[in-house]
Amino acid sequence: MNFPKFPPLDFDLEKPAYRALAVSLISTVAFFVYKSNRRASRLKAIQATNANAVSTYFAPSASKSNVTVPVAIFLGGTAGIGRGMAEAFARYTNGNAHIIILGRNEANAKAIISTFPKPTVHGARHEFVQCDATLMAECERVLQDLRARLPRINYLVISPMLVKTFGEEKTTEGKEPKLVLMYYARFKFIKELTGALEKAKEQGEEAKVYIVGGAGLGKSIDWDDLGFRKKGYSFLKIRAQFPLYMTVILQEFAARSPSLTFIDSYPGPVRSALGDNLRWMVARFLYKVLFSATFPFSYSESGEYMLHAMLTTAKTPGVWNVGMYGSTLPISKIYQASEKERKILWEHSVEETSIQ
Ligand SMILES: NC(=O)c1ccc[n+]([C@@H]2O[C@H](COP(=O)([O-])OP(=O)(O)OC[C@H]3O[C@@H](n4cnc5c(N)ncnc54)[C@H](OP(=O)(O)O)[C@@H]3O)[C@@H](O)[C@H]2O)c1
C-alpha cells in the first residue's frame, strides 16, 4: 500500500513565521506558569487567613468565659462549592462545630462527613439532613425541625442547584424546580431561620447568610411578570432576571434584620457537579469536557475563597456582594432596588413559598 508522502518538516527559526510561532508558544506557556503560581500563592494566603479567622472567632481565650461551638448549615453541601466550604470550615474548626449538611444525597453527605476531623468538645457534631429543596412542603418540614432544635445559628450557607434540562419542568407542587432552587427555597430558608441567626448575634456571635449564586449578574426584572407566570418561561429569562431577585431580596432582608450580614457571591467558573445531571448524554459529556478544560477552580479551591468572603471580607452587618476570589464587587455592578421594588418582591416571594 502506498501512503501519500508529506514534505519534510522544515522548522527553521530563521524564518519569521516560525520565529513568531515559537515566541507565541513560549509566551503562552510562561503566562500559564505565571498564572498558576500566582493562583497557588493567593490560595495559600487565603487559607492562612481562613485558619486565623476561625481561630479568632471560636478558639477559647481569656476574654471569653464560655466558648460555644459555631453552628453552620450548608444547604447544597453534598457537592460542589457548598461542599468545598463545608470541608474547609470543618478543617479550620478541627471538627469542633455543629455542622449540618442538607441535600438529597445521603451517601455523598456521609462520605464527606467521614473525612471531617472528629469533634473533641461538647456540642460539636456533624450531621446530614435529607431535604429536597425543590418542594416547599419538604423545606417547611426541615425548617420546622431546625428551628425546634437550634436555638442559634451562626452561618447559613445556601448553594443548591440542579440542571437536568434548560426547558421548563414542574415539581409535584407545580413549580419550576430551577427557579425554586435558585431563588424561592433560598428565600424560604433565610426568612425562616432569621430568628435563630438573630439569637446568635444577640449573644455577641457571628451571624451570616451566604448565597452561592450569581452576584453582579442579571440585567433587569420584569416587575409585571414575577416568576414568569404570565408571559412564560425561558432559560434565558432565568439568566437575565433571577440573579437580580436575590440581589433585591437580600437588600430587603438586611433592612428587616439590620444586625445580620448577608453575602451574595459569584464563584466564577468552578469544576463542580453542576453538569452531571443534564439529561442528554452528549450535553453531559460536553459540559464535563468544558468544565475540566477551561474552568480554573476546583470546588475545594472555590470553597476556600467563598469561606474567606464569609469569614473575613464581610465584616459588618448589611449586604455584601463578592466575586470569585471572595473580594467585594464594585458597587456599580450591584443593582440598588427601591423600597417599593423590595416590597413587591417580598410579597411575591412570601406568596410563592407559603404552604397552603
Ligand atoms: N460551578 C460553577 O461554575 C458556577 C458558576 C457560577 C455560579 N454557580 C452557582 O453556584 C451554586 C452552586 O453550584 P455548584 O457548582 O456548587 O453546583 P453542584 O456541584 O451541582 O452542587 C449543587 C448542590 O445542590 C444540591 N442540590 C441539587 N438539587 C437539590 C435539591 N432538590 N434539594 C437540595 N439540594 C439540592 C446538590 O446536592 P444533592 O444532589 O445531594 O441534592 C449539591 O450539593 C449554584 O447556584 C450555581 O448556579 C456555579
Side-chain angles (χ1 to χ4, degrees), residues 15-312:
K15 292 186 180 159
Y18 286 128
R19 245 197 339 263
L21 183 67
V23 167
S24 69
L25 271 175
I26 291 166
S27 0
T28 308
V29 171
F31 180 69
F32 184 75
V33 171
Y34 166 74
K35 287 274 275 191
S36 306
N37 281 343
R38 204 163 145 236
R39 248 191 43 221
S41 60
R42 187 200 291 250
L43 178 62
K44 233 171 154 186
I46 291 291
Q47 286 169 326
T49 317
N50 282 345
N52 187 41
V54 170
S55 63
T56 311
Y57 296 143
F58 302 114
S61 76
S63 60
K64 295 179 191 162
S65 49
N66 59 338
V67 176
T68 49
V69 297
V71 179
I73 295 178
F74 296 87
L75 171 60
T78 54
I81 302 155
R83 170 186 179 174
M85 290 181 77
E87 287 177 341
F89 189 75
R91 210 169 44 248
Y92 293 124
T93 53
N94 284 322
N96 288 326
H98 184 175
I99 298 174
I100 307 173
I101 291 184
L102 272 73
R104 296 163 311 154
N105 194 321
E106 182 169 12
N108 273 6
K110 288 200 163 151
I112 293 165
I113 287 173
S114 73
T115 66
F116 290 176
K118 301 291 165 268
T120 55
V121 299
H122 177 72
R125 63 201 193 94
H126 314 141
E127 54 173 316
F128 169 66
V129 173
Q130 183 107 37
C131 176
D132 179 349
T134 57
L135 299 172
M136 285 304 114
E138 176 91 344
C139 292
E140 185 81 15
R141 177 187 66 75
V142 168
L143 284 160
Q144 270 179 21
D145 165 58
L146 294 175
R147 278 198 311 266
R149 61 197 181 86
L150 299 175
R152 49 179 259 289
I153 296 169
N154 299 103
Y155 302 109
L156 172 60
V157 177
I158 307 185
S159 64
M161 191 55 196
L162 187 84
V163 185
K164 286 188 198 155
T165 157
F166 297 115
E168 187 172 21
E169 302 161 273
K170 286 267 184 281
T171 64
T172 50
E173 294 176 342
K175 295 183 190 298
E176 211 299 317
K178 294 181 281 301
L179 299 185
V180 176
L181 291 180
M182 271 181 87
Y183 178 72
Y184 295 110
R186 296 174 181 220
F187 170 83
K188 192 169 176 72
F189 264 79
I190 305 173
K191 176 171 161 284
E192 301 196 12
L193 295 179
T194 297
L197 286 150
E198 285 173 337
K199 277 275 163 1
K201 199 71 197 184
E202 282 162 23
Q203 294 176 21
E205 299 173 3
E206 290 260 285
K208 294 177 176 174
V209 173
Y210 196 91
I211 301 290
V212 185
L217 305 181
K219 290 191 167 60
S220 61
I221 293 177
D222 182 349
W223 293 99
D224 276 342
D225 190 22
L226 290 177
F228 315 136
R229 291 267 184 217
K230 291 189 214 156
K231 300 181 194 167
Y233 163 99
S234 83
F235 194 72
L236 289 179
K237 279 194 197 171
I238 302 189
R239 292 271 308 156
Q241 300 192 37
F242 260 58
L244 277 184
Y245 278 45
M246 191 46 73
T247 305
V248 174
I249 212 65
L250 289 184
Q251 291 169 11
E252 178 62 15
F253 273 119
R256 287 169 180 257
S257 299
S259 67
L260 302 184
T261 303
F262 299 90
I263 308 133
D264 195 10
S265 69
Y266 171 66
V270 179
R271 298 188 300 277
S272 69
L274 206 52
D276 292 357
N277 296 290
L278 282 167
R279 207 163 266 164
W280 309 285
M281 215 175 79
V282 176
R284 246 188 348 260
F285 173 75
L286 288 176
Y287 234 81
K288 251 313 177 239
V289 172
L290 179 80
F291 267 35
S292 328
T294 61
F295 282 26
F297 302 114
S298 67
Y299 70 83
S300 44
E301 183 176 358
S302 176
E304 291 280 357
Y305 292 129
M306 299 296 102
L307 193 68
H308 169 67
M310 182 167 86
L311 297 176
T312 308

